[in-house]
């Protein structure tokens, strides 16, 4: 298996070895070993659920620090649309202004790229064969990198359903590098391109894209405090120095669950958010349900990207704000600028918005690559499971009794890791000891024992 | 001595739409554990789900039995129920005897058996009116590449 870099990591000194995170992880990617949580790389999808659940803040996302900004002469911010939901402002212009005041030399809206992505998805859904027999149904958006990873490792049979359209943050970086950078007349190495991200998964995705796109990813919660203090006063009209391609409502709407499908506006579309909800839906799609649905927007975070693990505002409040901001110009249409730019970029490169990189099956479910061995292991697993209490307490460090059984079969844990089994074996041993202890040699005197009985 | 195999028997309750799909889901998960090719799993999962739904919709009670060995995958769906009076008709796309209530829930589109046929490599249906139905579905492994 290829070695992947991850953004979600453990801060060991903060971890108390509790089992909250292992129970919450949608891919059972965490174990507690030697009193500390431990992330299984091949299973982690960077969803950030463990960051949310950990009361000791022992899980964090590896991101760029602010000092990095100083390494560049010209700093460009690529703000995710979810950034706009973090502040009490009536229009995104003020937040963009705050980004300039913060020290960015240019702001390039990811929301604008989201509008181009909307065109690309529309075209893909439109061109997909109309009948279930001709192609996999429903199409699943790959805008959320967590969902793409989830499909790869838990639902590989749905890989053909994934739309091959790059997410907006990828497209935004690509457009900047292709369209804007050459006009700046500044060498590439002096231009720092920074994505402002609501979640760790997008950091991982950018890191693993195959070609370097950005020079860093800054979490929203890292910038929040300072940006908040830099917001222009209520009512002031701010002339924005340099904003290329302002996004309309559709692009901004992408920050919330349902925003993408609202923009794409396809017939028989469905939007689902929250990683457990997404997993349940994918489970049902694998059983052949929902083949009458054409396209599914699936976002791992509750309420969509506004609920990302690196955001600040309450996701429900943030979602309402996005709806307000996105609806401010009322129109449910893409601007001519977007449509023309889309057509233009497609003319230059037919695959500008889509990727043909095969998404590999990285299933973590199989017990063994050899069928005979897998059968043997599965039967062992069931036999072990039958002995376990099946109350999924997590005290063994594995999230469920079934996963402990699997860990035992794979040689990564032992039966006595289960407190119930351990106690049972101790009890058996104690009984044996008692029986042995009661076996007296005939020569032994009983007198001392009788006195002892009277002891309190 | 029997060759290494996995056998899984899951009871299915008639008219219980809350638990409907759980048997197919377990079959699917078992096959995933065994590392079966994902395209094949998808076919088995869809066929098993349809067969399970047939028990839930039309029968009193039944079971799904999965057997996996070196030769292939077999899923048996067996029920006690009203049986299929006209098998040929039942195999026709769009034909269904499901009640309006069941159709209102989005089931009973008459695609169950045709869908099963499409997904399986071998299909045998043994049915007797007012006794029950036994559906045997077999799936071959894809040729090694």
């Amino acid at each position: 298996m290829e070695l992947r870099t991850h953004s979600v990591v453990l801060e060991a000194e903060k971890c108390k070895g509790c089992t909250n995170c292992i129970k919450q992880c949608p891919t059972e990617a965490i174990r507690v070993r030697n009193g500390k949580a431990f992330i299984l790389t091949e299973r982690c999808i960077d969803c950030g659920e463990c960051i949310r659940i950990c009361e000791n803040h022992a899980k964090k996302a590896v991101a760029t620090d602010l000092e990095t900004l100083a390494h560049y002469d010209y700093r460009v911010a690529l703000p995710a649309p979810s950034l706009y939901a973090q502040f009490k402002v009536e229009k995104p212009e003020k937040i963009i202004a705050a980004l300039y005041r913060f020290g960015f030399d240019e702001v390039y809206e990811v929301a604008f790229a989201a509008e181009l992505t909307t065109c690309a998805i529309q075209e893909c859904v439109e061109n997909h064969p109309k009948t279930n027999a001709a192609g996999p149904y429903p199409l699943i958006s790959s805008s959320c990198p967590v969902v793409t990873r989830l499909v790869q490792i838990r639902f590989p049979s749905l890989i053909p359903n994934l739309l091959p359209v790059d997410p907006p943050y990828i497209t935004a970086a690509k457009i900047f590098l292709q369209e804007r950078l050459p006009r700046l007349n500044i060498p590439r190495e002096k231009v720092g391109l920074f994505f402002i991200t609501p979640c760790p998964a997008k950091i991982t995705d950018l890191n693993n894209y195959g070609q370097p796109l950005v020079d860093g990813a800054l979490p929203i919660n890292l910038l929040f405090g300072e940006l908040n203090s830099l917001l222009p006063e209520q009512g002031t009209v701010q002339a924005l120095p340099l904003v290329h391609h302002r996004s309309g409502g559709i692009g901004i709407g992408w920050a919330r669950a349902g925003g993408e499908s609202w923009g794409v506006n396809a017939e028989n579309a469905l939007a689902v958010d929250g990683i457990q909800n997404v997993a349940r839906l994918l489970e049902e799609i694998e059983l052949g349900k929902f083949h009458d649905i054409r396209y599914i927007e699936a976002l791992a975070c509750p309420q969509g990207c506004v609920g990302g693990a690196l955001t600040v505002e309450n996701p429900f409040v943030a979602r309402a704000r996005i709806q307000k901001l996105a609806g401010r110009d009322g129109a449910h249409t893409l601007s001519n600028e977007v449509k023309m730019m889309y057509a233009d970029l497609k003319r230059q490169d037919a695959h500008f918005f889509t990727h043909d990189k095969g998404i590999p099956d990285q299933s973590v479910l199989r017990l063994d690559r050899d069928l005979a061995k897998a059968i043997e292991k599965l039967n062992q697993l069931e036999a072990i499971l039958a002995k376990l209490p099946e109350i999924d307490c997590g005290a063994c460090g594995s999230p469920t009794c079934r996963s402990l059984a699997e860990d035992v079969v794979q040689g990564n844990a032992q039966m006595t890791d289960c407190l119930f089994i351990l106690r049972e074996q101790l009890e058996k041993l104690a009984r044996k000891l008692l029986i042995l202890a009661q076996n007296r040699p005939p020569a032994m005197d009983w007198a001392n024992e009788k006195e002892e009985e009277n002891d309190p | 001595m029997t060759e290494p195999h996995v056998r899984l028997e899951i009871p299915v309750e008639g008219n219980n739409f809350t638990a409907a799909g759980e048997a197919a889901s377990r079959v699917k998960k078992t096959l995933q554990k065994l590392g079966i090719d994902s395209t094949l799993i998808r076919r088995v999962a869809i066929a098993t789900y349809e067969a399970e739904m047939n028990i839930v919709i039309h029968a009193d009670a039944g079971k799904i039995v999965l057997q996996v060995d070196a030769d292939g995958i077999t899923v048996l769906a067996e029920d006690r129920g009203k049986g299929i009076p006209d098998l040929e008709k039942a195999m026709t796309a769009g034909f269904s005897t499901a009640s309006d209530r069941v159709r209102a829930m989005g089931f009973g589109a008459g695609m169950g058996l045709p869908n099963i046929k499409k997904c399986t490599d071998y299909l045998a249906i043994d049915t007797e009116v007012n006794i029950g139905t036994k559906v045997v579905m077999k799936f071959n492994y894809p040729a090694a590449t």
Side-chain angles (χ1 to χ4, degrees):
Chain A
M1 188 170 290
E2 70 173 304
L3 194 68
R4 287 181 55 98
T5 59
H6 279 287
S7 311
V8 178
V9 293
L10 179 83
E11 286 189 273
E13 66 281 3
K14 288 188 184 173
C15 178
K16 291 184 177 167
C18 77
T19 53
N20 287 338
C21 61
I22 64 171
K23 311 283 296 177
Q24 198 71 11
C25 177
T27 56
E28 301 190 334
I30 314 175
R31 300 288 183 274
V32 176
R33 295 283 180 263
N34 303 319
K36 302 281 175 198
F38 171 75
I39 302 174
L40 303 167
T41 303
E42 70 276 14
R43 283 177 171 259
C44 177
I45 57 174
D46 290 290
C47 65
E49 286 295 316
C50 55
I51 297 181
R52 281 194 194 95
I53 193 82
C54 182
E55 289 173 7
N56 305 311
H57 303 290
K59 295 285 192 346
K60 64 167 187 185
V62 179
T64 310
D65 49 34
L66 290 174
E67 284 81 71
T68 313
L69 291 168
H71 301 167
Y72 299 91
D73 292 351
Y74 194 82
R75 293 167 288 241
V76 181
L78 298 173
S82 44
L83 178 72
Y84 305 151
Q86 308 299 314
F87 310 92
K88 279 184 194 154
V89 291
E90 69 281 11
K91 45 187 180 180
E93 281 82 348
K94 293 206 166 171
I95 298 157
I96 294 171
L99 285 167
Y100 279 107
R101 287 180 173 184
F102 181 82
F104 284 107
D105 299 285
E106 186 168 334
V107 176
Y108 212 78
E109 282 191 290
V110 173
F112 179 79
E115 302 206 317
L116 294 165
T117 310
T118 306
C119 296
I121 295 177
Q122 273 171 348
E123 196 177 323
C124 263
V125 173
E126 212 49 45
N127 292 341
H128 195 64
K130 302 276 184 228
T131 62
N132 179 31
Y137 262 94
L139 289 168
I140 301 166
S141 170
S142 50
S143 303
C144 175
V146 174
V147 172
T148 304
R149 277 280 291 151
L150 183 68
V151 167
Q152 277 180 287
I153 72 154
R154 257 185 72 186
F155 303 97
S157 83
L158 300 179
I159 289 175
N161 296 53
L162 288 170
L163 269 166
V165 178
D166 278 330
Y169 51 91
I170 300 277
T171 299
K174 279 167 81 178
I175 298 175
F176 179 86
L177 294 174
Q178 182 178 314
E179 299 287 297
R180 178 71 187 139
L181 184 67
R183 288 176 210 179
L184 282 174
N185 285 323
I186 307 172
R188 172 69 186 94
E189 64 274 13
K190 298 206 164 164
V191 177
L193 193 56
F194 295 94
F195 174 55
I196 300 175
T197 183
C199 69
K202 293 187 177 80
I203 303 177
T204 309
D205 196 32
L206 281 162
N207 288 342
N208 293 325
Y209 189 70
Q211 45 169 306
L213 291 173
V214 297
D215 303 293
L218 304 164
I220 285 179
N221 58 12
L222 179 72
L223 296 176
F224 175 80
E226 206 157 338
L227 286 181
N228 198 38
S229 66
L230 291 170
L231 287 172
E233 305 273 294
Q234 188 70 30
T236 44
V237 184
Q238 186 78 21
L240 296 175
L242 249 180
V243 180
H244 299 273
H245 316 303
R246 282 307 318 281
S247 173
I250 286 181
I252 293 169
W254 267 66
R256 67 162 173 98
E260 176 189 330
S261 49
W262 180 67
V264 171
N265 200 17
E267 236 177 280
N268 292 332
L270 194 75
V272 57
D273 60 290
I275 187 79
Q276 305 294 357
N277 295 333
V278 171
R280 265 195 296 273
L281 189 77
L282 296 177
E283 185 78 48
E284 293 189 56
I285 294 173
E286 272 201 328
L287 297 181
K289 290 187 186 183
F290 310 129
H291 48 73
D292 48 341
I293 292 171
R294 280 179 74 75
Y295 148 77
I296 289 181
E297 170 201 322
L299 301 171
C301 293
Q303 308 301 314
C305 297
V306 290
L310 307 178
T311 60
V312 175
E313 188 54 279
N314 171 293
F316 293 88
V317 173
R319 182 182 183 170
R321 271 198 203 138
I322 285 293
Q323 269 172 307
K324 214 166 157 187
L325 290 173
R328 79 205 144 109
D329 44 11
H332 186 208
T333 49
L334 293 160
S335 70
N336 282 335
E337 187 199 356
V338 170
K339 287 177 189 159
M340 276 164 61
M341 191 162 171
Y342 176 71
D344 211 40
L345 286 164
K346 280 268 303 202
R347 231 187 335 271
Q348 291 172 42
D349 176 3
H351 299 291
F352 189 85
F353 297 97
T354 50
H355 58 78
D356 49 9
K357 58 175 178 192
I359 297 175
D361 174 342
Q362 291 178 328
S363 174
V364 293
L365 304 166
R366 66 174 78 88
L367 291 166
D368 204 290
R369 289 200 172 267
D370 178 78
L371 179 64
K373 280 186 192 146
I375 287 177
E376 195 188 321
K377 285 183 179 175
L378 184 63
N379 288 326
Q380 282 171 8
L381 190 159
E382 295 295 338
I384 291 170
L385 187 62
K387 291 184 191 145
L388 297 175
E390 292 211 67
I391 60 164
D392 298 341
C393 69
C396 60
S398 300
T400 60
C401 291
R402 183 168 279 278
S403 62
L404 174 64
E406 185 170 339
D407 288 347
V408 172
V409 168
Q410 300 291 30
N412 299 322
Q414 42 195 349
M415 284 301 277
T416 45
D417 289 350
C418 172
L419 292 185
F420 292 78
I421 300 281
L422 184 67
R423 204 200 156 280
E424 222 171 74
Q425 294 201 356
L426 278 173
E427 193 184 320
K428 273 184 199 158
L429 193 64
R431 277 181 207 277
K432 266 187 205 159
L433 279 174
L434 187 68
I435 291 167
L436 276 176
Q438 284 166 342
N439 281 344
R440 314 279 161 132
M444 200 166 175
D445 184 15
W446 289 86
N448 296 339
E449 192 93 355
K450 276 172 190 151
E451 256 171 52
E452 221 173 85
E453 265 174 29
N454 296 330
D455 279 351
Chain B
M1 205 186 88
T2 54
E3 60 169 322
H5 68 276
V6 163
R7 190 174 181 281
L8 178 69
E9 184 172 327
I10 313 154
V12 179
E13 228 181 291
N15 208 26
N16 182 346
F17 286 87
T18 317
E22 279 176 11
S25 212
R26 278 186 63 192
V27 164
K28 190 188 79 182
K29 280 181 186 148
T30 303
L31 298 176
Q32 285 171 329
K33 283 276 169 239
L34 295 175
I36 305 293
D37 169 78
S38 65
T39 323
L40 176 57
I41 293 183
R42 199 165 179 173
R43 286 201 288 133
V44 180
I46 292 173
T48 307
Y49 175 70
E50 295 289 2
E52 182 184 358
M53 288 315 295
N54 280 345
I55 298 176
V56 175
I57 296 169
H58 300 289
D60 304 324
K63 63 180 178 186
I64 298 279
V65 184
L66 167 74
Q67 175 135 349
V68 188
D69 54 37
D71 299 327
I73 300 167
T74 309
V75 178
L76 164 80
E78 194 173 5
D79 69 52
R80 284 180 283 109
K82 54 178 170 258
I84 307 169
D86 190 336
L87 193 55
E88 209 174 302
K89 245 186 182 170
M91 293 300 294
T92 323
F95 177 82
S96 174
T97 58
S99 68
D100 289 346
R101 188 179 74 90
V102 166
R103 282 166 195 261
M105 294 165 86
F107 303 108
M111 293 309 292
L113 286 176
N115 223 352
I116 290 174
K117 192 164 171 54
K118 212 173 71 189
C119 290
T120 48
D121 293 314
Y122 167 87
L123 173 67
I125 302 174
D126 189 5
T127 183
E128 206 169 324
V129 174
N130 292 328
I131 304 279
T133 304
K134 189 172 160 182
V135 180
V136 181
M137 302 174 274
K138 288 189 182 173
F139 307 85
N140 304 325
Y141 297 126
T145 47

